[in-house]
Amino acid sequence: MAIYKSIYKKLLAAGTAAVVMASVAAPSASEAALPFDDVPEKYLSSVEYLNSNGIVKGTGNLYGTNDSMTRGTTAIMIARALGLENETAPDAGFPDVDGQYTNAVNNLSYRGIISGSGGKFLTSKKLTRGDMAKILVKAYNIPLNVKNSPFTDATGAFADYIDAIYAAGITKGISANSFGATNEIKRGDFATLLFKTINRFGTACDYDPNSTVNPDPQTINCLITEVARDSNVPPEIVKAVAEKESGWVQFVDGNPLKNSNGDGGIGLMQITNKAGYTEQQLGYNVKENIKAGVNFLTTAFYDRSDLPKINNHDPKMLESWYFAVMAYNGIVPKNSPVVQATGQRNTLAYQELVFDILDKGNLYAGDPQLETNIDKLDLKKEDFQYDPNTGTPIKFLKKSYQLNAADLTPSTQFFKVGDIVTYDSNRLRAIPSRSGSEIAITTGSRVKIIGEPMADQNSKSANHFVWYLVEDVNTRKIGYIASPYIK
């Protein structure tokens, strides 16, 4: 799936935990629309996202935006967000916890996320904003001891936790110098803080490495994005290569996809060079298969001196990867950029087909299409020496190519939290999907990225792009943008 909620899983001993991921069903277009009448635009993205993923609920057509949160209700919602509904844990021993609160409190207590006072949990007590800061830090492992916040009330037991969520960009406080640590937190503000935290620290790919069922397209999208970004390779490049190689397929009837021509290609990336990997890894672990493919691309891009370079060989520019993509399939005559006999562009060369996929981007009709300028490379048959009648590798006689700077196409899937970009559309989405409610902004607005890249909430979507949670610099409106609209 494409929306990810972190859950904790017991490892070797009580109290030891690691974050893994659990999925929630993506809503249909009709289900995604927010069913509440009391949610102003300020809270729209937060409440719609959490509601569409089953984390928060309301009563009838009301969410209760201005109502205070109790500790018991908070425990239930945090447990849902962490995917703990079906987990079991030892009894926490609080005499004032029963019924609907029991499982959530037991699980959160067992994992050290919540605690009580005087032997009780105080289920009905109102939650303070300071309490919320502490819960978020513990639930999502937000780094502590980062930098001091400007809040004069970030003192005492909650000081480090308030500083942590401020440093992470999750809160601006209730004013420039006040967090409102002792104030009761309202359901609207609770939703915003939890929503921002999930987008910043609770995103990861919902992937079971023990499954032999082919992951849905947006799990593949997520896995490739994660591995490629970690390796400084544009995710767009890897996604196009994977589509050319396998159509984003790892398994067929429970068995690893094998190349029908017998060249030994395995799985999603059709890896044939198995150095450093076992066939078991490549065949049954999708993420390891992607890593192997990305490693081949990075070796071709960074280490090979025989391949030509384009401009300053900037890895963030998609055109820079043309010859590395060629090498992925082989620097053999069939992949020559030009046909030796005619000097015409070889449109059937592997790298040309991959860049065709890249340019299509599998975007929705009417959306901006990614258009690289690889066709503007001045390629001549004299640049390449080879015998078209043999499989002898091509010799590259020209080692450098130049495109106009304006013709280089930067990846839009490399952005980080804190980056400010220009958004070429007049609306944000309340969830990372076209089915989300629209939030109007001005076309060309500058927006700040405040969340990690996410795949589409519609798990069946075949699109290669990602979504970012952003905040409009001028209006402070919050919502998701699709990467192709970033300028």
Side-chain angles (χ1 to χ4, degrees):
M1 304 298 292
I3 294 298
Y4 318 104
K5 300 185 299 179
S6 56
I7 65 172
Y8 285 80
K9 185 176 182 179
K10 287 177 285 185
L11 294 179
L12 301 177
T16 302
V19 176
V20 297
M21 310 315 299
S23 67
V24 281
S28 67
S30 61
E31 294 170 329
L34 193 65
F36 309 126
D37 297 334
D38 63 338
V39 178
E41 189 174 63
K42 174 182 178 182
Y43 299 114
L44 181 60
S45 293
S46 305
V47 177
E48 184 165 325
Y49 177 95
L50 298 180
N51 177 255
S52 71
N53 286 289
I55 297 169
V56 302
K57 301 176 182 179
T59 302
N61 63 343
L62 299 178
Y63 171 65
T65 303
N66 295 316
D67 295 343
S68 296
M69 293 285 295
T70 66
R71 287 170 55 84
T73 301
T74 299
I76 290 174
M77 291 182 180
I78 296 295
R80 288 175 185 158
L82 297 174
L84 299 174
E85 299 97 318
N86 298 317
E87 297 290 307
T88 59
D91 191 292
F94 298 123
D96 59 337
V97 174
D98 57 15
Q100 63 177 328
Y101 306 110
T102 303
N103 185 65
V105 172
N106 287 345
N107 272 294
L108 297 184
S109 176
Y110 176 69
R111 290 160 176 80
I113 297 169
I114 61 171
S115 58
S117 178
K120 295 183 178 181
F121 179 63
L122 307 175
T123 308
S124 300
K125 184 179 178 181
K126 297 296 192 292
L127 189 80
T128 68
R129 290 172 57 85
D131 291 326
M132 183 64 176
K134 183 177 180 180
I135 288 172
L136 292 176
V137 169
K138 288 182 170 290
Y140 289 92
N141 296 315
I142 300 173
L144 288 165
N145 304 315
V146 277
K147 68 176 181 179
N148 293 330
S149 69
F151 306 132
T152 57
D153 58 345
T155 59
F158 297 123
D160 289 344
Y161 304 111
I162 295 170
D163 289 345
I165 65 171
Y166 170 78
I170 294 167
T171 184
K172 293 183 174 67
I174 61 175
S175 69
N177 61 2
S178 177
F179 176 69
T182 60
N183 295 3
E184 295 176 1
I185 192 166
K186 307 300 182 183
R187 285 171 60 90
D189 292 331
F190 168 90
T192 296
L193 292 176
L194 178 57
F195 170 64
K196 286 185 175 181
T197 300
I198 290 173
N199 277 268
R200 182 72 174 86
F201 294 100
T203 60
C205 304
D206 171 28
Y207 165 59
D208 179 2
N210 298 312
S211 174
T212 57
V213 176
N214 203 60
D216 63 67
Q218 288 308 301
T219 296
I220 298 294
N221 191 7
C222 177
L223 287 167
I224 293 178
T225 301
E226 179 183 301
V227 174
R229 282 168 59 96
D230 286 346
S231 301
N232 203 31
V233 181
E236 297 97 321
I237 293 288
V238 185
K239 292 170 189 179
V241 169
E243 184 168 315
K244 177 66 178 71
E245 291 290 339
S246 68
W248 284 18
V249 172
Q250 177 75 17
F251 299 106
V252 177
D253 296 329
N255 297 307
L257 175 68
K258 297 290 184 68
N259 193 312
S260 60
N261 65 16
D263 72 354
I266 300 175
L268 188 83
M269 302 298 295
Q270 286 294 285
I271 300 301
T272 56
N273 181 357
K274 303 178 182 63
Y277 296 90
T278 67
E279 188 165 324
Q280 179 76 13
Q281 282 177 305
L282 295 175
Y284 290 94
N285 190 310
V286 183
K287 191 170 184 179
E288 290 301 312
N289 190 284
I290 295 170
K291 285 182 179 179
V294 169
N295 182 62
F296 193 95
L297 283 168
T298 56
T299 298
F301 187 86
Y302 292 105
D303 298 340
R304 289 186 61 162
S305 59
D306 60 322
L307 298 178
K309 294 177 171 51
I310 297 172
N311 287 45
N312 64 350
H313 206 51
D314 184 348
K316 290 184 173 57
M317 299 299 170
L318 300 181
E319 289 84 1
S320 297
W321 289 85
Y322 181 82
F323 291 102
V325 170
M326 176 185 178
Y328 192 89
N329 187 254
I331 54 170
V332 291
K334 68 176 182 178
N335 290 331
S336 173
V338 294
V339 179
Q340 190 181 68
T342 65
Q344 299 297 309
R345 194 69 171 254
N346 182 9
T347 57
L348 296 179
Y350 177 84
Q351 68 277 8
E352 295 284 337
L353 298 176
V354 168
F355 270 79
D356 283 346
I357 293 171
L358 183 67
D359 282 348
K360 291 183 178 67
N362 287 331
L363 299 180
Y364 297 108
D367 281 354
Q369 301 294 311
L370 175 62
E371 295 182 4
T372 62
N373 290 297
I374 206 67
D375 59 323
K376 294 184 179 181
L377 278 180
D378 185 19
L379 301 167
K380 296 180 172 63
K381 65 178 183 179
E382 294 80 16
D383 299 344
F384 312 99
Q385 179 181 315
Y386 63 93
D387 182 347
N389 299 312
T390 72
T392 304
I394 295 171
K395 289 184 179 179
F396 299 95
L397 304 181
K398 183 175 180 178
K399 294 300 181 68
S400 179
Y401 291 87
Q402 290 292 313
L403 286 170
N404 292 328
D407 289 332
L408 292 172
T409 310
S411 168
T412 59
Q413 298 186 22
F414 265 145
F415 293 113
K416 303 184 297 297
V417 171
D419 287 345
I420 296 177
V421 300
T422 300
Y423 181 49
D424 191 26
S425 179
N426 63 357
R427 61 185 181 271
L428 308 174
R429 291 286 183 176
I431 59 175
S433 169
R434 288 189 67 170
S435 63
S437 296
E438 296 180 1
I439 301 168
I441 63 170
T442 302
T443 300
S445 292
R446 300 285 283 168
V447 297
K448 182 178 181 180
I449 293 174
I450 59 175
E452 300 296 330
M454 300 185 77
D456 200 289
Q457 183 156 321
N458 175 8
S459 63
K460 296 180 181 180
S461 169
N463 291 291
H464 291 193
F465 62 77
V466 297
W467 296 84
Y468 293 99
L469 181 66
V470 300
E471 180 180 57
D472 188 304
V473 171
N474 293 319
T475 66
R476 303 301 181 189
K477 292 182 179 181
I478 293 174
Y480 290 95
I481 63 173
S483 55
Y485 285 91
I486 296 175
K487 299 298 182 183

